[in-house]
Amino acid sequence: MRPFTAAAIQVAPVRGSLTPQVIEANIERCLDFVRRCVAETGAELVVLPESATTGFTPDCSTEQLWDLVSELPGAMSQPFQDLARELGIVLCVGTYERGPERGIVYNASILVDTDGSLLGVYRKTHPFCTEAVSGGGWVTPGDTVTVSDTALGRIGMIICFDGDYPELSRIQAVQGAEIICRPSALLRSADIWELTSRARAYDNHVYVIGANATGIDPAGVIYFGNSHIVTPNATIVAKAASHEGWVSARLDPETALSSLTPGSNISQGFDHLRDRNLDLIRGHREELESPAKTAFPHGGPRPDHKPEGD
């Protein structure tokens, strides 16, 4: 990894029911924000929110959503690939993806390189309970981990609720990820949003760039933004409010773990990856792969519960 400036953009979706014209307008708004952000900050890595091309809650059937979106690469990714090549940046964008059969839709994020090539597609492996097909939603979960080499460093991707699951980010860190992009449409609370990004950054000593949705999606759900950039020592170095716009920060591997706390003269002697007790992990592998045992009851969503972002 080399030093560079990263940015997280939060942009509101166009109001109204999803149509090809609305999706085109959403894409154009995203492109405009990226252009302005890069011109002002010099960012070389830019992250956009989850489902930025449509808004999170589609307010239509899964089959209709499948008809409206595209395969990746395809019509949904090409404008972003063209812009990344034009600006010479690495770009991470959240978008729904058409699956192999009508009715199979993935919640995906793409990573585009400076030459416009598609470095990777990550499909959300932990859809939120109301988003997942298994819970009556519209998203089929993915089953792969995506970490890509770039001139900036090794970059992984998680999407929103994925950030609640330590294993996914740990796998990416073990695979060499130095930066994890987290496109999101998180609604539960700003505290949970911040907590989970900081925890995943600190667990694995990686930078986390969280771009959270703002505005109102096609189903009328309101998002709070608060996009942020977190250091490998869990310090938030850039944080947005709820407005449309961006935050940016300089990421420098030389200073990422240079002190125990920000600005301290005390150096950090531990490393969460280096110091893992692998014998313990091997000894409990079967339990780690088994259904969890818990004393707490877990109720399902209320019958009148309206799906919301995460």
Side-chain angles (χ1 to χ4, degrees):
M1 177 180 167
R2 66 166 175 81
F4 67 92
T5 297
I9 293 177
Q10 50 190 50
V11 54
V14 173
R15 295 294 302 274
S17 300
L18 276 183
T19 64
Q21 293 74 28
V22 165
I23 291 175
E24 182 178 356
N26 281 328
I27 291 173
E28 286 302 319
R29 283 178 55 75
C30 288
L31 298 177
D32 176 62
F33 269 85
V34 173
R35 284 194 179 92
R36 290 191 285 130
C37 171
V38 171
E40 182 170 313
T41 68
E44 296 182 78
L45 170 63
V46 177
V47 183
L48 283 159
E50 178 179 16
S51 54
T53 57
T54 56
F56 180 79
T57 318
D59 203 29
C60 63
S61 72
T62 309
E63 289 74 21
Q64 289 171 314
L65 181 60
W66 189 91
D67 292 339
L68 286 165
V69 299
S70 75
E71 298 86 359
L72 296 174
M76 303 293 280
S77 67
Q78 193 59 54
F80 298 102
Q81 294 178 252
D82 294 342
L83 183 64
R85 181 172 58 250
E86 173 192 329
L87 299 179
I89 61 170
V90 178
L91 184 57
C92 178
V93 185
T95 181
Y96 288 121
E97 176 191 11
R98 180 183 291 179
E101 299 176 11
R102 190 168 188 260
I104 296 179
V105 174
Y106 300 112
N107 186 342
S109 62
I110 59 172
L111 191 69
V112 184
D113 207 354
T114 54
D115 62 358
S117 61
L118 197 61
L119 287 173
V121 177
Y122 168 70
R123 300 175 180 93
K124 193 175 186 179
T125 52
H126 302 86
F128 195 61
C129 55
T130 52
E131 163 197 11
V133 167
S134 59
W138 54 95
V139 170
T140 297
D143 59 5
T144 58
V145 175
T146 303
V147 177
S148 302
D149 284 310
T150 75
L152 305 177
R154 283 182 63 79
I155 299 176
M157 294 182 282
I158 62 177
I159 300 174
C160 201
F161 193 50
D162 285 328
D164 283 33
Y165 296 87
E167 299 86 355
L168 178 60
S169 295
R170 173 53 55 89
I171 291 168
Q172 295 186 32
V174 170
Q175 290 184 353
E178 297 154 310
I179 306 115
I180 293 179
C181 300
R182 188 187 184 188
S184 299
L186 191 144
L187 277 176
R188 285 166 290 156
S189 76
D191 287 345
I192 291 293
W193 165 236
E194 182 176 305
L195 168 69
T196 50
S197 283
R198 292 183 69 191
R200 300 297 79 80
Y202 193 56
D203 287 344
N204 302 295
H205 297 315
V206 295
Y207 287 99
V208 172
I209 304 168
N212 197 36
T214 193
I216 304 173
D217 74 15
V221 181
I222 303 172
Y223 298 85
F224 60 75
N226 284 201
S227 297
H228 51 224
I229 298 175
V230 189
T231 73
N233 261 348
T235 303
I236 293 181
V237 290
K239 182 176 181 179
S242 58
H243 314 78
E244 288 188 295
W246 55 79
V247 292
S248 65
R250 187 77 172 168
L251 312 188
D252 187 345
E254 291 299 317
T255 60
L257 295 174
S258 60
S259 61
L260 187 64
T261 56
S264 171
N265 68 312
I266 306 300
S267 61
Q268 177 169 313
F270 64 88
D271 185 307
H272 288 145
L273 294 179
R274 181 197 65 204
D275 302 337
R276 288 173 297 149
N277 187 331
L278 297 178
D279 289 335
L280 178 70
I281 295 170
R282 294 185 191 104
H284 291 271
R285 180 171 180 175
E286 184 175 343
E287 293 168 83
L288 290 171
E289 296 176 350
S290 300
K293 299 173 182 178
T294 177
F296 300 122
H298 289 78
R302 301 185 310 273
D304 62 344
H305 180 69
K306 183 177 183 179
E308 293 181 344
D310 238 301

Coordinates of all heavy atoms in Angstrom, one line a residue, residues 187-270:
L187 N -29.6 1.6 8.6 CA -30.6 2.4 9.3 C -30.7 2.2 10.8 O -31.3 3.0 11.5 CB -32.0 2.1 8.7 CG -32.3 2.8 7.4 CD1 -33.7 2.3 6.9 CD2 -32.4 4.3 7.7
R188 N -30.1 1.1 11.3 CA -30.4 0.8 12.7 C -30.1 1.9 13.7 O -30.9 2.2 14.5 CB -29.7 -0.5 13.1 CG -30.4 -1.8 12.4 CD -29.4 -3.0 12.5 NE -28.3 -2.9 11.6 CZ -27.2 -3.5 11.8 NH1 -27.0 -4.3 12.8 NH2 -26.2 -3.4 10.9
S189 N -28.9 2.4 13.6 CA -28.5 3.6 14.4 C -27.1 4.0 14.0 O -26.3 3.2 13.5 CB -28.5 3.3 15.9 OG -27.4 2.5 16.3
A190 N -26.9 5.3 14.2 CA -25.5 5.8 13.9 C -24.5 5.2 14.8 O -23.3 5.0 14.4 CB -25.5 7.3 14.1
D191 N -24.9 4.8 16.0 CA -23.9 4.2 16.9 C -23.5 2.8 16.4 O -22.3 2.5 16.4 CB -24.5 4.0 18.3 CG -24.6 5.3 19.1 OD1 -24.0 6.3 18.7 OD2 -25.4 5.3 20.1
I192 N -24.5 2.0 15.9 CA -24.1 0.7 15.4 C -23.3 0.8 14.1 O -22.3 0.1 13.9 CB -25.4 -0.1 15.1 CG1 -26.1 -0.5 16.4 CG2 -25.1 -1.3 14.3 CD1 -25.3 -1.5 17.3
W193 N -23.6 1.8 13.3 CA -22.9 2.0 12.1 C -21.4 2.3 12.4 O -20.5 1.7 11.8 CB -23.5 3.2 11.3 CG -22.8 3.9 10.2 CD1 -22.5 5.2 10.2 CD2 -22.3 3.3 9.0 NE1 -21.8 5.5 9.0 CE2 -21.7 4.4 8.3 CE3 -22.3 2.0 8.5 CZ2 -21.1 4.2 7.0 CZ3 -21.7 1.8 7.3 CH2 -21.1 2.9 6.6
E194 N -21.2 3.2 13.3 CA -19.8 3.6 13.7 C -19.1 2.4 14.4 O -18.0 2.1 14.1 CB -19.9 4.8 14.6 CG -18.5 5.3 15.0 CD -18.6 6.6 15.8 OE1 -19.2 7.6 15.3 OE2 -18.1 6.6 16.9
L195 N -19.8 1.8 15.3 CA -19.2 0.7 16.1 C -18.7 -0.4 15.2 O -17.6 -0.9 15.4 CB -20.3 0.2 17.1 CG -19.9 -1.2 17.8 CD1 -18.8 -1.0 18.8 CD2 -21.1 -1.8 18.5
T196 N -19.5 -0.9 14.3 CA -19.1 -2.0 13.5 C -18.0 -1.7 12.5 O -17.1 -2.5 12.3 CB -20.3 -2.6 12.7 OG1 -21.0 -1.5 12.0 CG2 -21.3 -3.2 13.6
S197 N -18.0 -0.5 11.9 CA -16.8 -0.1 11.1 C -15.5 0.0 11.9 O -14.5 -0.5 11.5 CB -17.1 1.2 10.4 OG -18.0 1.1 9.3
R198 N -15.6 0.6 13.1 CA -14.4 0.7 13.9 C -14.0 -0.6 14.4 O -12.7 -0.9 14.4 CB -14.7 1.6 15.1 CG -15.0 3.1 14.7 CD -15.2 4.0 16.0 NE -14.0 4.1 16.7 CZ -13.9 4.6 18.0 NH1 -15.0 5.0 18.6 NH2 -12.8 4.7 18.6
A199 N -14.9 -1.5 14.7 CA -14.5 -2.8 15.2 C -13.8 -3.6 14.1 O -12.8 -4.3 14.3 CB -15.7 -3.6 15.7
R200 N -14.4 -3.6 12.9 CA -13.7 -4.4 11.8 C -12.4 -3.8 11.4 O -11.4 -4.5 11.1 CB -14.6 -4.4 10.6 CG -16.0 -5.0 10.8 CD -16.0 -6.5 11.2 NE -15.7 -6.7 12.5 CZ -16.5 -6.7 13.6 NH1 -17.8 -6.3 13.4 NH2 -16.1 -6.9 14.8
A201 N -12.2 -2.4 11.5 CA -10.9 -1.8 11.3 C -9.9 -2.3 12.3 O -8.8 -2.6 12.0 CB -11.1 -0.3 11.2
Y202 N -10.3 -2.2 13.6 CA -9.4 -2.5 14.7 C -9.1 -4.0 14.8 O -8.0 -4.4 15.0 CB -10.1 -2.1 16.0 CG -9.1 -2.0 17.2 CD1 -7.9 -1.3 17.1 CD2 -9.4 -2.7 18.3 CE1 -7.1 -1.2 18.2 CE2 -8.6 -2.6 19.4 CZ -7.4 -1.9 19.4 OH -6.5 -1.9 20.4
D203 N -10.2 -4.9 14.6 CA -9.9 -6.3 14.6 C -8.8 -6.7 13.7 O -8.0 -7.6 14.0 CB -11.2 -7.1 14.0 CG -12.4 -7.1 15.0 OD1 -12.2 -6.8 16.1 OD2 -13.5 -7.4 14.5
N204 N -8.8 -6.1 12.5 CA -7.9 -6.6 11.4 C -6.8 -5.6 11.0 O -6.1 -5.9 10.1 CB -8.8 -6.9 10.2 CG -9.8 -7.9 10.5 OD1 -9.5 -9.0 10.8 ND2 -11.1 -7.5 10.5
H205 N -6.7 -4.4 11.7 CA -5.8 -3.4 11.4 C -5.8 -3.1 9.9 O -4.8 -3.2 9.2 CB -4.4 -3.8 11.8 CG -4.2 -4.0 13.3 ND1 -4.7 -3.1 14.2 CD2 -3.6 -5.0 14.0 CE1 -4.5 -3.5 15.4 NE2 -3.8 -4.6 15.3
V206 N -7.0 -2.7 9.4 CA -7.2 -2.3 8.0 C -7.9 -0.9 8.1 O -8.6 -0.5 9.1 CB -8.1 -3.3 7.2 CG1 -7.4 -4.6 7.1 CG2 -9.5 -3.4 7.9
Y207 N -7.8 -0.2 7.0 CA -8.7 1.0 6.8 C -10.1 0.6 6.4 O -10.2 -0.4 5.6 CB -8.1 1.9 5.7 CG -6.8 2.7 6.2 CD1 -5.6 2.2 5.8 CD2 -7.0 3.9 6.9 CE1 -4.4 2.9 6.2 CE2 -5.8 4.6 7.3 CZ -4.6 4.1 6.9 OH -3.4 4.8 7.3
V208 N -11.1 1.2 6.9 CA -12.5 0.9 6.5 C -13.0 2.3 6.0 O -13.0 3.3 6.7 CB -13.3 0.4 7.6 CG1 -14.8 0.3 7.2 CG2 -12.9 -1.0 8.0
I209 N -13.5 2.2 4.7 CA -14.2 3.4 4.1 C -15.6 3.1 4.0 O -16.0 2.2 3.1 CB -13.5 3.7 2.8 CG1 -12.0 3.9 3.0 CG2 -14.2 4.9 2.2 CD1 -11.2 3.9 1.7
G210 N -16.5 3.7 4.8 CA -17.9 3.4 4.8 C -18.7 4.5 4.2 O -18.7 5.7 4.7
A211 N -19.3 4.2 3.1 CA -20.2 5.2 2.4 C -21.6 4.8 2.6 O -22.1 3.8 2.1 CB -19.9 5.2 0.9
N212 N -22.3 5.6 3.5 CA -23.7 5.2 3.8 C -24.7 6.1 3.1 O -24.5 7.3 2.8 CB -23.9 5.4 5.3 CG -25.1 4.7 5.8 OD1 -25.5 3.6 5.4 ND2 -25.8 5.3 6.8
A213 N -25.8 5.5 2.8 CA -26.9 6.2 2.0 C -27.4 7.4 2.8 O -27.5 7.4 4.0 CB -28.0 5.2 1.7
T214 N -27.9 8.3 2.0 CA -28.7 9.4 2.6 C -29.9 9.7 1.7 O -30.1 9.0 0.7 CB -27.8 10.7 2.7 OG1 -28.5 11.7 3.6 CG2 -27.5 11.3 1.4
G215 N -30.8 10.5 2.1 CA -32.0 10.8 1.3 C -33.1 9.8 1.5 O -33.1 9.1 2.5
I216 N -34.0 9.6 0.5 CA -35.2 8.8 0.6 C -35.2 7.8 -0.6 O -35.0 8.3 -1.7 CB -36.4 9.7 0.6 CG1 -36.4 10.7 1.8 CG2 -37.7 8.8 0.8 CD1 -37.5 11.7 1.8
D217 N -35.4 6.5 -0.3 CA -35.4 5.6 -1.4 C -36.8 5.4 -2.0 O -37.7 6.0 -1.6 CB -34.8 4.2 -0.9 CG -35.7 3.4 0.0 OD1 -36.9 3.7 0.1 OD2 -35.1 2.5 0.7
P218 N -36.9 4.5 -3.0 CA -38.2 4.4 -3.7 C -39.4 4.0 -2.8 O -40.5 4.3 -3.2 CB -37.9 3.4 -4.8 CG -36.5 3.5 -5.1 CD -35.8 3.8 -3.8
A219 N -39.1 3.3 -1.7 CA -40.2 2.9 -0.8 C -40.4 4.0 0.3 O -41.3 3.7 1.2 CB -39.8 1.6 -0.2
G220 N -39.7 5.1 0.2 CA -40.0 6.1 1.2 C -39.2 6.0 2.5 O -39.4 6.7 3.4
V221 N -38.2 5.1 2.5 CA -37.3 4.9 3.7 C -36.2 6.0 3.7 O -35.6 6.3 2.7 CB -36.7 3.6 3.7 CG1 -35.8 3.4 4.9 CG2 -37.7 2.5 3.6
I222 N -36.0 6.6 4.9 CA -35.1 7.8 5.0 C -33.8 7.3 5.6 O -33.8 6.6 6.6 CB -35.7 8.9 5.9 CG1 -37.1 9.3 5.3 CG2 -34.8 10.0 6.0 CD1 -37.9 10.2 6.2
Y223 N -32.7 7.7 5.1 CA -31.3 7.3 5.5 C -30.6 8.5 6.1 O -30.8 9.7 5.8 CB -30.6 6.7 4.3 CG -31.3 5.5 3.8 CD1 -32.3 5.6 2.9 CD2 -30.9 4.2 4.3 CE1 -33.0 4.5 2.4 CE2 -31.6 3.1 3.9 CZ -32.6 3.2 2.9 OH -33.3 2.1 2.5
F224 N -29.6 8.2 7.0 CA -29.0 9.2 7.8 C -27.5 9.6 7.4 O -26.9 10.4 8.0 CB -29.0 8.9 9.3 CG -28.3 7.6 9.7 CD1 -26.9 7.5 9.7 CD2 -29.1 6.5 10.0 CE1 -26.3 6.4 10.1 CE2 -28.4 5.3 10.4 CZ -27.1 5.3 10.5
G225 N -27.0 8.9 6.4 CA -25.6 9.2 6.0 C -24.6 8.9 7.0 O -24.4 7.7 7.4
N226 N -23.8 9.9 7.5 CA -22.7 9.7 8.5 C -21.6 8.8 7.9 O -21.0 8.0 8.6 CB -23.3 9.0 9.8 CG -24.0 10.0 10.7 OD1 -24.1 9.8 11.9 ND2 -24.5 11.1 10.1
S227 N -21.4 8.9 6.6 CA -20.2 8.2 6.0 C -19.0 8.5 6.8 O -18.8 9.6 7.3 CB -20.1 8.6 4.5 OG -21.2 8.2 3.8
H228 N -18.0 7.6 6.7 CA -16.8 7.8 7.5 C -15.6 7.0 6.9 O -15.8 6.1 6.1 CB -17.0 7.4 9.0 CG -17.6 6.0 9.2 ND1 -18.6 5.7 10.0 CD2 -17.3 4.8 8.6 CE1 -19.0 4.5 10.0 NE2 -18.2 3.9 9.1
I229 N -14.4 7.4 7.4 CA -13.2 6.7 7.1 C -12.5 6.4 8.4 O -12.3 7.3 9.3 CB -12.3 7.6 6.2 CG1 -13.0 7.9 4.9 CG2 -10.9 6.9 6.0 CD1 -12.2 8.8 3.9
V230 N -12.2 5.1 8.6 CA -11.6 4.7 9.9 C -10.2 4.1 9.7 O -10.0 3.4 8.7 CB -12.5 3.6 10.5 CG1 -12.1 3.2 11.9 CG2 -14.0 4.0 10.5
T231 N -9.3 4.4 10.6 CA -7.9 4.0 10.5 C -7.8 2.5 11.1 O -8.7 2.0 11.8 CB -7.0 4.9 11.3 OG1 -7.2 4.7 12.7 CG2 -7.2 6.3 10.9
P232 N -6.7 1.9 10.8 CA -6.4 0.6 11.4 C -6.4 0.5 12.9 O -6.4 -0.6 13.5 CB -5.1 0.1 10.8 CG -5.0 0.9 9.5 CD -5.7 2.2 9.8
N233 N -6.3 1.7 13.6 CA -6.4 1.7 15.0 C -7.8 2.2 15.5 O -7.9 2.7 16.7 CB -5.3 2.6 15.6 CG -4.1 1.8 16.1 OD1 -4.2 0.6 16.2 ND2 -3.0 2.4 16.4
A234 N -8.8 2.1 14.6 CA -10.2 2.4 15.0 C -10.5 3.9 15.2 O -11.5 4.2 15.8 CB -10.6 1.6 16.2
T235 N -9.6 4.8 14.7 CA -9.9 6.2 14.8 C -10.7 6.7 13.5 O -10.3 6.4 12.4 CB -8.6 7.0 14.9 OG1 -7.8 6.5 16.0 CG2 -8.8 8.5 15.0
I236 N -11.8 7.4 13.8 CA -12.5 8.0 12.7 C -11.8 9.3 12.3 O -11.8 10.2 13.1 CB -14.0 8.2 13.1 CG1 -14.7 6.9 13.2 CG2 -14.7 9.0 12.0 CD1 -16.1 7.0 13.6
V237 N -11.3 9.4 11.1 CA -10.5 10.5 10.7 C -11.3 11.4 9.7 O -10.9 12.5 9.4 CB -9.2 10.1 10.0 CG1 -8.2 9.6 11.1 CG2 -9.4 9.1 8.9
A238 N -12.5 10.9 9.3 CA -13.4 11.7 8.5 C -14.8 11.2 8.7 O -15.0 10.0 8.7 CB -13.0 11.6 7.0
K239 N -15.8 12.2 8.9 CA -17.1 11.8 9.2 C -18.1 12.8 8.7 O -18.0 14.0 8.9 CB -17.3 11.6 10.7 CG -18.7 11.2 11.2 CD -18.7 11.0 12.7 CE -20.0 10.5 13.2 NZ -20.0 10.3 14.7
A240 N -19.1 12.3 7.9 CA -20.1 13.2 7.3 C -21.3 13.4 8.3 O -21.5 12.6 9.2 CB -20.6 12.6 6.0
A241 N -22.1 14.4 8.0 CA -23.4 14.5 8.6 C -24.4 13.8 7.7 O -24.1 12.7 7.2 CB -23.7 16.0 8.8
S242 N -25.6 14.3 7.6 CA -26.6 13.7 6.8 C -26.8 14.3 5.4 O -27.6 13.8 4.6 CB -28.0 13.7 7.5 OG -28.4 15.0 7.8
H243 N -26.1 15.3 5.1 CA -26.2 16.0 3.8 C -25.6 15.2 2.7 O -24.7 14.3 2.9 CB -25.5 17.3 3.9 CG -25.7 18.2 5.1 ND1 -25.1 17.9 6.3 CD2 -26.5 19.2 5.3 CE1 -25.5 18.8 7.2 NE2 -26.4 19.6 6.6
E244 N -26.1 15.4 1.5 CA -25.3 14.9 0.3 C -23.9 15.5 0.3 O -23.8 16.7 0.6 CB -26.1 15.2 -1.0 CG -27.4 14.4 -1.2 CD -27.9 14.7 -2.5 OE1 -28.3 15.8 -2.8 OE2 -28.0 13.7 -3.3
G245 N -23.0 14.7 -0.1 CA -21.6 15.2 -0.2 C -20.6 14.1 0.0 O -20.9 13.0 -0.2
W246 N -19.4 14.5 0.5 CA -18.4 13.6 0.7 C -17.5 13.9 1.9 O -17.5 15.0 2.4 CB -17.5 13.5 -0.6 CG -16.9 14.8 -1.0 CD1 -15.9 15.4 -0.5 CD2 -17.5 15.6 -2.1 NE1 -15.7 16.6 -1.2 CE2 -16.6 16.7 -2.2 CE3 -18.5 15.5 -3.0 CZ2 -16.8 17.8 -3.1 CZ3 -18.8 16.5 -3.9 CH2 -17.9 17.6 -3.9
V247 N -16.7 12.9 2.3 CA -15.6 13.2 3.2 C -14.4 12.5 2.7 O -14.5 11.5 1.9 CB -15.9 12.6 4.7 CG1 -17.1 13.4 5.3 CG2 -16.3 11.1 4.6
S248 N -13.2 13.0 3.0 CA -12.0 12.4 2.5 C -10.9 12.5 3.6 O -11.0 13.2 4.5 CB -11.5 13.2 1.3 OG -11.2 14.6 1.6
A249 N -9.9 11.6 3.4 CA -8.8 11.6 4.3 C -7.6 11.0 3.6 O -7.7 10.2 2.6 CB -9.1 10.7 5.5
R250 N -6.4 11.3 4.1 CA -5.2 10.8 3.6 C -4.9 9.5 4.4 O -4.9 9.4 5.6 CB -4.0 11.8 3.9 CG -2.7 11.4 3.2 CD -2.7 11.6 1.8 NE -1.4 11.5 1.2 CZ -1.1 11.4 -0.1 NH1 -2.1 11.5 -1.0 NH2 0.1 11.3 -0.6
L251 N -4.7 8.4 3.6 CA -4.3 7.1 4.2 C -2.8 6.8 4.0 O -2.3 6.9 2.9 CB -5.1 6.0 3.5 CG -6.6 6.2 3.4 CD1 -7.3 4.9 2.9 CD2 -7.3 6.7 4.6
D252 N -2.1 6.6 5.1 CA -0.7 6.4 5.0 C -0.2 5.2 5.8 O -0.4 5.1 7.0 CB 0.0 7.7 5.6 CG 1.5 7.7 5.4 OD1 2.1 6.6 5.0 OD2 2.2 8.7 5.6
P253 N 0.3 4.2 5.1 CA 0.7 2.9 5.8 C 1.8 3.1 6.8 O 1.9 2.4 7.8 CB 1.1 2.0 4.7 CG 1.5 2.9 3.5 CD 0.6 4.1 3.7
E254 N 2.6 4.2 6.6 CA 3.7 4.4 7.6 C 3.2 4.8 8.9 O 3.9 4.6 10.0 CB 4.7 5.5 7.0 CG 5.4 5.0 5.8 CD 6.3 3.8 6.1 OE1 7.0 3.8 7.1 OE2 6.3 2.8 5.3
T255 N 2.1 5.5 9.0 CA 1.6 6.0 10.3 C 0.4 5.2 10.8 O -0.1 5.5 11.9 CB 1.2 7.5 10.2 OG1 0.2 7.6 9.2 CG2 2.4 8.3 9.8
A256 N -0.1 4.3 10.0 CA -1.3 3.6 10.3 C -1.3 2.9 11.7 O -2.3 2.9 12.5 CB -1.6 2.5 9.3
L257 N -0.2 2.3 12.0 CA 0.0 1.6 13.3 C 1.2 2.1 14.1 O 1.8 1.4 14.8 CB 0.1 0.1 13.1 CG -1.1 -0.6 12.5 CD1 -0.8 -2.1 12.2 CD2 -2.3 -0.5 13.5
S258 N 1.6 3.4 13.9 CA 2.8 3.9 14.5 C 2.7 4.2 15.9 O 3.7 4.3 16.6 CB 3.3 5.1 13.7 OG 2.3 6.1 13.8
S259 N 1.5 4.4 16.5 CA 1.3 4.7 17.9 C 0.2 4.0 18.5 O -0.8 3.6 17.8 CB 1.2 6.2 18.1 OG 0.0 6.7 17.4
L260 N 0.2 3.8 19.8 CA -0.8 3.0 20.5 C -2.2 3.7 20.4 O -3.2 3.1 20.3 CB -0.4 2.9 22.0 CG -1.2 1.9 22.8 CD1 -1.2 0.5 22.3 CD2 -0.8 2.0 24.3
T261 N -2.2 5.1 20.6 CA -3.4 5.9 20.4 C -3.0 7.1 19.5 O -1.8 7.4 19.4 CB -3.9 6.3 21.8 OG1 -2.8 7.0 22.5 CG2 -4.3 5.2 22.6
P262 N -4.0 7.7 18.9 CA -3.7 8.8 18.0 C -2.9 9.9 18.7 O -3.2 10.4 19.7 CB -5.1 9.3 17.6 CG -6.0 8.2 17.9 CD -5.5 7.5 19.0
G263 N -1.8 10.3 18.0 CA -0.9 11.3 18.5 C 0.0 11.0 19.7 O 0.7 11.8 20.2
S264 N 0.0 9.7 20.1 CA 0.7 9.3 21.3 C 2.2 9.1 20.9 O 2.5 8.7 19.8 CB 0.1 8.0 21.9 OG 1.0 7.5 22.9
N265 N 3.1 9.2 21.9 CA 4.5 8.9 21.8 C 4.8 7.4 22.1 O 5.9 7.0 21.9 CB 5.4 9.8 22.7 CG 5.2 9.4 24.1 OD1 4.0 9.3 24.6 ND2 6.3 9.2 24.9
I266 N 3.7 6.7 22.5 CA 3.9 5.3 22.8 C 3.6 4.5 21.6 O 2.5 4.6 21.0 CB 2.9 4.9 23.9 CG1 3.1 5.8 25.2 CG2 3.1 3.4 24.3 CD1 4.4 5.8 25.8
S267 N 4.6 3.6 21.2 CA 4.4 2.8 20.0 C 3.5 1.6 20.3 O 3.3 1.2 21.4 CB 5.7 2.3 19.5 OG 6.4 1.5 20.5
Q268 N 2.9 1.1 19.2 CA 2.1 -0.1 19.3 C 2.9 -1.3 19.1 O 3.5 -1.5 18.1 CB 0.9 0.0 18.3 CG 0.0 -1.2 18.4 CD -1.2 -1.1 17.5 OE1 -1.9 -0.1 17.6 NE2 -1.5 -2.1 16.7
G269 N 2.8 -2.3 20.1 CA 3.7 -3.5 20.0 C 2.9 -4.7 19.6 O 3.5 -5.7 19.3
F270 N 1.6 -4.6 19.5 CA 0.8 -5.8 19.2 C 0.2 -5.7 17.8 O 0.2 -4.6 17.2 CB -0.4 -6.0 20.2 CG -1.4 -4.9 20.2 CD1 -2.5 -4.9 19.3 CD2 -1.3 -3.8 21.0 CE1 -3.4 -3.9 19.3 CE2 -2.2 -2.8 21.0 CZ -3.3 -2.9 20.2

